Amino acid sequence: MVKSSVARSSRKALGAIGAFAAVALVLTGCVQNTEGTGGNANPTESAEISVTKSDTAAAMVPEEISSAGVLRVGTDATYAPNQYAGPDGQPVGWEVELVEAIGTKLDLDVEWSKEGFDQIIPKVTGGTLDMGSSSFSDTVERQKSVDFVDFYSAGLQFVRGVDVDPLPDSLCGLTIGAQATTTSDDYLMAASDECEANGEAPIDLVKKDGQDEATNDVVLGNTDYMLADSPIAQNSVLQASGKITLEGDVFDAAPYGLVFAKDTELTQAVQTAMQELMDEGTYEQILSNWGVQDGAVDEAVINGVS
């Protein structure tokens, strides 16, 4: 376990390793998962999950969205098993399935828009997108511009090459990879600043635009260590055929949240739909099918971080 006094500053949660096996996702009243070929990038077993419209939640959807019948959702589909591009280029993953289930609850068709992570919040606040779903961490800073419906708890976790020594107590002077603009990036930059303030060598932080690139770097031995959100780190190890391993425990747990423009009725509608999925057991089943149930929560909360 890495010892550090660096506090969490923000989290994004994005990324994925290389090419993953196909997952079929169909949701027109049900979620259809087909069996994957191994690892947590795919559901662990075949399962069909029934989802029905919620009259209560659907009635809360703003008129301009309900009349259009479409929920426009932005995602950076590079972060397996949460969200990543399937063989047809469309987003798949456990967070994708949750959003599709919410769409059914709201009687809306989900229209996915693949975006760069840093473009999603501006497009939500600008009205181009109705919602953002890209493993966003709910933070006080982000709450200044958007609202969140929190639905999952994730932390950070290190990964290292199997032939690399375990992390020492200090990160100073180490070469560590991370996806740019994520919480992992923020955490490591703060830790590096702390190293320099204490007269030690800074972290050699290797930033990549996509989490898949950061993961491939540690798989190929270009970097010794990587920091990512816990479900992504764990899935990357499963997919890497013994070339990398988890390093230390999960730390700095924080909620994932779906992103909305401030003070829109859609936030309340999605919270209601998500809570129904939790209460009915559908939420837990989707997470269990993808092997990420350890981060499950019991309540969908609006802006739960303060």
Side-chain angles (χ1 to χ4, degrees):
M1 181 66 181
V2 177
K3 298 176 183 176
S4 174
S5 62
V6 179
R8 168 179 298 278
S9 57
S10 67
R11 157 145 336 120
K12 185 269 194 158
L14 247 170
I17 185 172
F20 292 95
V23 177
L25 179 91
V26 178
L27 203 158
T28 53
C30 70
V31 178
Q32 178 77 37
N33 296 328
T34 59
E35 189 170 354
T37 59
N40 285 349
N42 300 292
T44 56
E45 60 183 23
S46 295
E48 182 172 311
I49 302 172
S50 295
V51 182
T52 58
K53 174 187 173 182
S54 166
D55 291 336
T56 300
M60 302 170 72
V61 175
E63 171 61 28
E64 64 270 20
I65 296 176
S66 61
S67 61
V70 173
L71 183 65
R72 301 169 300 169
V73 183
T75 190
D76 185 340
T78 63
Y79 206 41
N82 301 11
Q83 57 272 323
Y84 61 100
D88 62 354
Q90 291 301 303
V92 293
W94 65 265
E95 189 173 330
V96 173
E97 290 198 13
L98 280 176
V99 171
E100 294 280 356
I102 287 169
T104 298
K105 284 284 184 186
L106 301 180
D107 198 27
L108 298 173
D109 293 327
V110 176
E111 180 180 279
W112 291 100
S113 178
K114 291 189 291 183
E115 307 283 349
F117 178 74
D118 58 358
Q119 295 301 310
I120 296 173
I121 285 180
K123 289 189 175 184
V124 170
T125 58
T128 304
L129 298 171
D130 302 314
M131 186 173 89
S133 170
S134 203
S135 304
F136 283 95
S137 289
D138 179 355
T139 67
V140 172
E141 182 64 26
R142 286 180 177 148
Q143 287 176 20
K144 294 176 182 178
S145 58
V146 293
D147 287 327
F148 290 90
V149 172
D150 298 342
F151 65 94
Y152 188 81
S153 179
L156 296 176
Q157 192 163 23
F158 282 96
V159 171
R160 63 175 170 85
V162 292
D163 297 325
V164 175
D165 290 336
L167 279 170
D169 287 345
S170 172
L171 301 179
C172 301
L174 299 180
T175 300
I176 306 175
Q179 184 178 2
T181 75
T182 65
T183 297
S184 298
D185 182 11
D186 292 344
Y187 181 93
L188 292 171
M189 286 194 298
S192 186
D193 289 344
E194 186 176 291
C195 289
E196 292 190 280
N198 293 331
E200 299 180 79
I203 295 170
D204 180 12
L205 177 52
V206 181
K207 301 185 184 186
K208 296 294 184 178
D209 290 337
Q211 180 60 46
D212 50 353
E213 298 173 90
T215 301
N216 285 335
D217 268 354
V218 73
V219 169
L220 296 173
N222 296 330
T223 57
D224 294 331
Y225 308 96
M226 178 187 76
L227 184 62
D229 275 22
S230 52
I232 283 70
Q234 293 160 17
N235 184 72
S236 296
V237 169
L238 287 173
Q239 294 295 320
S241 302
K243 295 180 179 179
I244 58 177
T245 186
L246 294 171
E247 172 64 29
D249 298 325
V250 176
F251 64 98
D252 267 9
Y256 283 169
L258 301 172
V259 171
F260 305 88
K262 295 295 290 184
D263 302 320
T264 174
E265 293 175 348
L266 181 62
T267 307
Q268 298 284 346
V270 170
Q271 180 199 30
T272 300
M274 181 71 81
Q275 191 62 54
E276 287 190 11
L277 293 172
M278 291 177 176
D279 295 342
E280 294 166 358
T282 305
Y283 164 87
E284 183 76 25
Q285 189 173 354
I286 290 173
L287 268 57
S288 295
N289 286 344
W290 288 83
V292 296
Q293 64 272 20
D294 286 352
V297 297
D298 296 326
E299 186 177 2
V301 178
I302 295 177
N303 295 337
V305 172
S306 59

